[in-house]
Amino acid sequence: MKKTRKAASNVNNAVNLISGAYTLPLIDKLFSNSNRIEDMDDIYFSITALVDTDRISEAFHMIRGLFGIAGMEYPQEIAQLEKSEELQESFVSEFIFDFYDMIEDKRVETEEQEIPV
């Protein structure tokens, strides 16, 4: 039982690292294309809505599409996760958390730039 939990923990940690490594560059590229936080919010809410309605595969494919829209190569590490629904769900969940954090960081940066000193 301990080996199973440890293996699951290792897999979750790996998925978390993959999400962290690729979400930031993707969001930076998408944000630089539009420079509108509202656009990023729309993408975030769309992916979240798919996950909330148990449409994990569609959310995963939407993320793949975002790489294409951004003009970025789809990472092989993420492509490998497509083989398992459980890994897809784990990745999409991590992606959503990372995406939200980055949107909030961009929102704070934007607000700081708008405040006259």
Coordinates of all heavy atoms in Angstrom, one line a residue, residues 35-75:
N35 N -2.6 41.0 -24.6 CA -2.4 42.0 -23.5 C -3.6 42.3 -22.8 O -3.7 43.4 -22.2 CB -1.7 43.3 -24.1 CG -0.2 43.3 -23.8 OD1 0.3 42.6 -23.0 ND2 0.4 44.2 -24.4
R36 N -4.6 41.5 -22.8 CA -5.9 41.7 -22.1 C -6.1 40.6 -21.1 O -6.3 39.4 -21.5 CB -7.0 41.8 -23.1 CG -7.0 43.0 -24.0 CD -8.2 43.0 -25.0 NE -9.3 42.2 -24.5 CZ -10.5 42.7 -24.2 NH1 -10.7 44.0 -24.3 NH2 -11.5 41.9 -23.9
I37 N -6.2 41.0 -19.9 CA -6.5 40.0 -18.8 C -7.8 39.4 -19.0 O -8.0 38.2 -18.8 CB -6.4 40.7 -17.4 CG1 -4.9 41.0 -17.2 CG2 -6.9 39.8 -16.3 CD1 -4.6 41.7 -15.9
E38 N -8.8 40.1 -19.6 CA -10.1 39.6 -19.8 C -10.1 38.4 -20.8 O -10.8 37.4 -20.6 CB -11.0 40.7 -20.4 CG -11.3 41.8 -19.5 CD -10.2 42.9 -19.4 OE1 -9.3 42.8 -20.3 OE2 -10.3 43.7 -18.6
D39 N -9.2 38.4 -21.8 CA -9.0 37.3 -22.7 C -8.5 36.1 -21.9 O -8.9 34.9 -22.2 CB -8.1 37.6 -23.8 CG -8.6 38.7 -24.7 OD1 -9.9 38.9 -24.7 OD2 -7.8 39.4 -25.4
M40 N -7.6 36.3 -21.0 CA -7.0 35.2 -20.2 C -8.1 34.6 -19.3 O -8.2 33.4 -19.1 CB -5.8 35.7 -19.4 CG -4.6 36.1 -20.3 SD -3.9 34.8 -21.3 CE -4.6 35.3 -22.9
D41 N -8.9 35.5 -18.7 CA -10.0 35.1 -17.9 C -11.0 34.2 -18.7 O -11.4 33.2 -18.2 CB -10.8 36.3 -17.3 CG -10.1 36.9 -16.2 OD1 -9.3 36.3 -15.5 OD2 -10.4 38.1 -15.9
D42 N -11.3 34.6 -19.9 CA -12.2 33.8 -20.8 C -11.6 32.4 -21.0 O -12.4 31.4 -20.9 CB -12.4 34.5 -22.1 CG -13.3 35.8 -21.9 OD1 -13.9 36.0 -20.9 OD2 -13.3 36.6 -22.9
I43 N -10.4 32.3 -21.3 CA -9.7 31.0 -21.5 C -9.8 30.2 -20.3 O -10.2 29.0 -20.3 CB -8.3 31.2 -22.0 CG1 -8.3 31.8 -23.4 CG2 -7.6 29.8 -22.0 CD1 -6.9 32.3 -23.9
Y44 N -9.4 30.8 -19.2 CA -9.4 30.1 -17.9 C -10.8 29.6 -17.5 O -11.0 28.4 -17.2 CB -8.9 31.1 -16.8 CG -9.2 30.5 -15.4 CD1 -8.3 29.6 -14.8 CD2 -10.3 30.9 -14.6 CE1 -8.5 29.0 -13.6 CE2 -10.5 30.4 -13.4 CZ -9.6 29.5 -12.8 OH -9.9 28.9 -11.6
F45 N -11.8 30.4 -17.7 CA -13.2 30.0 -17.3 C -13.7 28.9 -18.3 O -14.5 28.0 -17.9 CB -14.2 31.2 -17.3 CG -13.9 32.1 -16.1 CD1 -13.6 33.4 -16.2 CD2 -14.0 31.5 -14.8 CE1 -13.4 34.2 -15.1 CE2 -13.8 32.3 -13.7 CZ -13.5 33.7 -13.8
S46 N -13.3 29.0 -19.6 CA -13.7 27.9 -20.5 C -13.1 26.6 -20.1 O -13.9 25.6 -20.1 CB -13.2 28.3 -21.9 OG -13.9 29.5 -22.3
I47 N -11.9 26.6 -19.8 CA -11.2 25.3 -19.4 C -11.8 24.8 -18.1 O -12.1 23.6 -18.0 CB -9.7 25.4 -19.3 CG1 -9.1 25.7 -20.7 CG2 -9.1 24.2 -18.7 CD1 -7.7 26.1 -20.7
T48 N -12.0 25.7 -17.2 CA -12.6 25.3 -15.9 C -14.0 24.8 -16.1 O -14.4 23.8 -15.4 CB -12.6 26.5 -14.9 OG1 -11.3 27.0 -14.7 CG2 -13.2 26.2 -13.6
A49 N -14.8 25.4 -16.9 CA -16.2 24.9 -17.2 C -16.2 23.5 -17.8 O -17.0 22.6 -17.4 CB -16.9 25.8 -18.2
L50 N -15.2 23.2 -18.7 CA -15.1 21.8 -19.2 C -14.8 20.8 -18.1 O -15.4 19.8 -18.0 CB -14.0 21.8 -20.3 CG -14.4 22.5 -21.6 CD1 -13.2 22.6 -22.5 CD2 -15.5 21.8 -22.3
V51 N -13.9 21.2 -17.2 CA -13.5 20.3 -16.1 C -14.7 20.1 -15.1 O -15.0 19.0 -14.7 CB -12.3 20.9 -15.3 CG1 -12.0 20.1 -14.1 CG2 -11.0 20.8 -16.3
D52 N -15.4 21.2 -14.8 CA -16.5 21.1 -13.9 C -17.6 20.2 -14.4 O -18.4 19.7 -13.7 CB -17.1 22.5 -13.6 CG -16.1 23.3 -12.7 OD1 -15.2 22.8 -12.1 OD2 -16.3 24.6 -12.7
T53 N -17.7 20.1 -15.8 CA -18.7 19.2 -16.4 C -18.1 17.9 -16.8 O -18.7 17.2 -17.6 CB -19.4 19.9 -17.6 OG1 -18.4 20.3 -18.5 CG2 -20.2 21.2 -17.1
D54 N -17.0 17.5 -16.2 CA -16.3 16.2 -16.4 C -16.0 16.0 -17.9 O -16.0 14.9 -18.4 CB -17.2 15.1 -15.9 CG -17.3 15.0 -14.4 OD1 -16.3 15.4 -13.8 OD2 -18.3 14.7 -13.9
R55 N -15.6 17.1 -18.6 CA -15.2 17.0 -20.0 C -13.7 17.2 -20.0 O -13.2 18.1 -20.7 CB -16.0 18.0 -20.8 CG -17.5 17.6 -20.8 CD -18.4 18.7 -21.3 NE -18.1 19.0 -22.7 CZ -18.5 20.1 -23.3 NH1 -19.4 20.9 -22.7 NH2 -18.2 20.3 -24.6
I56 N -13.0 16.3 -19.3 CA -11.5 16.4 -19.1 C -10.8 16.3 -20.5 O -9.9 17.1 -20.7 CB -11.0 15.4 -18.2 CG1 -11.7 15.5 -16.8 CG2 -9.5 15.5 -18.0 CD1 -11.6 16.8 -16.1
S57 N -11.2 15.4 -21.3 CA -10.5 15.2 -22.6 C -10.6 16.5 -23.4 O -9.7 16.9 -24.1 CB -11.1 14.0 -23.3 OG -10.5 13.8 -24.5
E58 N -11.8 17.1 -23.4 CA -12.0 18.3 -24.2 C -11.1 19.5 -23.6 O -10.5 20.2 -24.4 CB -13.4 18.7 -24.3 CG -14.2 17.8 -25.2 CD -15.5 17.4 -24.6 OE1 -15.6 17.2 -23.3 OE2 -16.5 17.2 -25.3
A59 N -11.0 19.5 -22.3 CA -10.2 20.6 -21.7 C -8.7 20.3 -22.1 O -8.0 21.3 -22.4 CB -10.3 20.5 -20.2
F60 N -8.3 19.1 -22.1 CA -7.0 18.7 -22.4 C -6.7 19.1 -23.9 O -5.6 19.7 -24.2 CB -6.7 17.2 -22.2 CG -5.3 16.8 -22.1 CD1 -4.7 16.8 -20.9 CD2 -4.6 16.4 -23.2 CE1 -3.3 16.5 -20.8 CE2 -3.3 16.0 -23.2 CZ -2.6 16.1 -21.9
H61 N -7.6 18.9 -24.8 CA -7.5 19.2 -26.2 C -7.5 20.7 -26.4 O -6.8 21.3 -27.2 CB -8.5 18.6 -27.0 CG -8.3 17.1 -27.2 ND1 -7.3 16.5 -28.0 CD2 -9.0 16.1 -26.6 CE1 -7.4 15.2 -27.9 NE2 -8.4 14.9 -27.1
M62 N -8.2 21.4 -25.6 CA -8.2 22.9 -25.6 C -6.8 23.4 -25.2 O -6.3 24.4 -25.9 CB -9.3 23.5 -24.7 CG -9.4 25.0 -24.8 SD -10.9 25.5 -23.9 CE -10.8 27.3 -24.2
I63 N -6.3 22.9 -24.2 CA -4.9 23.3 -23.8 C -3.9 23.0 -25.0 O -3.1 23.9 -25.3 CB -4.5 22.6 -22.5 CG1 -5.3 23.0 -21.4 CG2 -3.0 22.8 -22.3 CD1 -5.2 22.2 -20.1
R64 N -4.0 21.9 -25.6 CA -3.2 21.6 -26.8 C -3.4 22.7 -27.8 O -2.4 23.2 -28.4 CB -3.5 20.2 -27.3 CG -2.5 19.9 -28.5 CD -2.6 18.5 -29.0 NE -4.0 18.1 -29.3 CZ -4.4 16.9 -29.4 NH1 -3.6 15.9 -29.2 NH2 -5.7 16.6 -29.7
G65 N -4.6 23.1 -28.1 CA -4.9 24.1 -29.0 C -4.3 25.4 -28.7 O -3.9 26.2 -29.6
L66 N -4.2 25.7 -27.4 CA -3.6 27.0 -27.0 C -2.1 27.1 -27.4 O -1.6 28.1 -27.7 CB -3.8 27.2 -25.4 CG -5.2 27.4 -24.9 CD1 -5.2 27.4 -23.4 CD2 -5.8 28.7 -25.5
F67 N -1.5 25.9 -27.3 CA -0.1 25.9 -27.7 C 0.0 26.3 -29.2 O 0.9 27.0 -29.6 CB 0.6 24.6 -27.5 CG 1.0 24.4 -26.0 CD1 0.2 23.8 -25.1 CD2 2.3 24.8 -25.6 CE1 0.6 23.6 -23.8 CE2 2.7 24.7 -24.3 CZ 1.8 24.1 -23.4
G68 N -0.9 25.7 -30.0 CA -0.9 26.1 -31.4 C -1.2 27.5 -31.7 O -0.6 28.2 -32.5
I69 N -2.2 28.1 -31.0 CA -2.6 29.5 -31.1 C -1.4 30.4 -30.7 O -1.1 31.4 -31.4 CB -3.8 29.8 -30.2 CG1 -5.0 29.2 -30.8 CG2 -4.0 31.3 -30.1 CD1 -6.2 29.2 -29.9
A70 N -0.7 30.0 -29.7 CA 0.5 30.7 -29.3 C 1.7 30.6 -30.2 O 2.7 31.3 -30.0 CB 0.9 30.3 -27.8
G71 N 1.6 29.6 -31.1 CA 2.7 29.4 -32.1 C 3.9 28.6 -31.4 O 5.0 28.7 -31.8
M72 N 3.5 27.8 -30.4 CA 4.5 27.1 -29.7 C 4.4 25.6 -30.0 O 3.3 25.1 -30.3 CB 4.3 27.3 -28.1 CG 4.5 28.7 -27.7 SD 4.0 29.0 -26.0 CE 5.4 28.1 -25.1
E73 N 5.5 24.9 -29.9 CA 5.5 23.5 -30.1 C 4.8 22.8 -28.9 O 5.0 23.2 -27.8 CB 6.9 22.9 -30.3 CG 7.0 21.5 -30.6 CD 8.4 21.0 -30.9 OE1 9.2 21.8 -31.5 OE2 8.7 19.9 -30.6
Y74 N 3.9 21.8 -29.2 CA 3.3 21.1 -28.2 C 4.3 20.2 -27.5 O 4.9 19.3 -28.1 CB 2.1 20.3 -28.8 CG 1.2 19.6 -27.8 CD1 0.5 20.3 -26.8 CD2 1.1 18.2 -27.8 CE1 -0.3 19.7 -25.9 CE2 0.2 17.6 -26.9 CZ -0.5 18.3 -26.0 OH -1.3 17.7 -25.1
P75 N 4.5 20.4 -26.2 CA 5.5 19.6 -25.5 C 5.2 18.1 -25.4 O 4.1 17.7 -25.2 CB 5.5 20.2 -24.0 CG 4.8 21.5 -24.2 CD 3.8 21.4 -25.3

